[in-house]
Amino acid sequence: MPDITVINDIDENIHVAFFVGVPTNWKNNLKPGERWTTHLASLPLHFEVRWAHRIDFDTGNIWCSQEFSHNDSMEMFATIGGACAAGTASVVSAGGLLACDMVVGIPIISGPLMAVANAGGAKYGDWRADVRLCTARVWVPFWNKQYSVRMVEGRGCVLWDVDDNAMV
C-alpha cells in the first residue's frame, strides 16, 4: 500500500478526500502550499476537492463549506445503501409478481421502491455539489505517488499527477 501525497497549489484552503463509494481518507483545511500524505490501497478511487470558505468582498459575508467527516460519510453511505436496497427490492418484487402471474401488482409495489432508489441515487450524485471545486478518478498504483491540486487555464481546478507531469 503506497503513500499518496496531495499538494495544495491553489491560493485558498481546501478540503480533499479519496472515496471508495463514500469519503474514506480526507484532509480538511489543506492550506496553500501544504502537503498531505495518506496511506491508500492500490484501487481505483474517486478524488474530490471542496473549497473551505469563500468571502464576498462586497458584503463581507464569509461562507464555510461542509468539511469531510465520519458522520458525513455514514450519512452518504446510508443514502446510497438505502437506494441500492430499494432498487434491489423493486426488481425482486417485480420478478416475484411476474413469476406468480400478478402483473397488475408490479406498478403498485415495484414503482414506489424504484422511485425511492432514483431519489437516493440523485441525492448521492448531488452530494455537496455546490461546494465542489473538482473531482477526478484516480488509480492508486503500487508505488508512492504525488498529486497536486492546481488551476489550469481553460480548465479551472484540476488534479495534476506530479510524477507524470500530466492532468489526471
Side-chain angles (χ1 to χ4, degrees):
M1 291 181 31
D3 286 334
I4 303 300
T5 299
V6 177
I7 307 161
N8 180 359
D9 282 328
I10 62 176
D11 293 333
E12 64 181 291
N13 290 4
I14 54 177
H15 307 313
V16 296
F18 288 96
F19 286 59
V20 180
V22 298
T24 54
N25 295 73
W26 60 82
K27 169 74 171 142
N28 291 314
N29 289 306
L30 189 66
K31 295 174 179 20
E34 187 178 3
R35 295 169 171 262
W36 167 61
T37 300
T38 186
H39 199 63
L40 295 174
S42 295
L43 296 169
L45 300 175
H46 174 80
F47 180 78
E48 181 174 302
V49 178
R50 295 177 183 171
W51 52 267
H53 65 273
R54 293 283 162 97
I55 300 170
D56 181 342
F57 291 105
D58 293 333
T59 64
N61 291 334
I62 299 174
W63 291 276
C64 295
S65 78
Q66 183 71 39
E67 292 183 345
F68 292 103
S69 69
H70 177 75
N71 290 342
D72 193 43
S73 292
M74 290 300 101
E75 185 180 347
M76 192 179 223
F77 179 73
T79 298
I80 197 61
C84 289
T88 301
S90 170
V91 171
V92 169
S93 65
L97 290 170
L98 189 59
C100 293
D101 218 11
M102 299 173 68
V103 176
V104 165
I106 292 175
I108 295 168
I109 295 173
S110 186
L113 287 170
M114 189 51 73
V116 168
N118 286 335
K123 181 178 178 183
Y124 176 81
D126 289 340
W127 204 275
R128 311 282 187 240
D130 58 332
V131 296
R132 274 188 221 138
L133 284 174
C134 70
T135 62
R137 295 286 298 166
V138 296
W139 176 266
V140 177
F142 293 104
W143 54 89
N144 295 344
K145 192 86 169 154
Q146 289 190 82
Y147 294 105
S148 166
V149 176
R150 58 176 66 170
M151 292 295 193
V152 172
E153 191 171 330
R155 302 291 298 234
C157 181
V158 300
L159 184 63
W160 193 267
D161 185 324
V162 174
D163 302 324
D164 295 340
N165 195 27
M167 188 170 58
V168 175

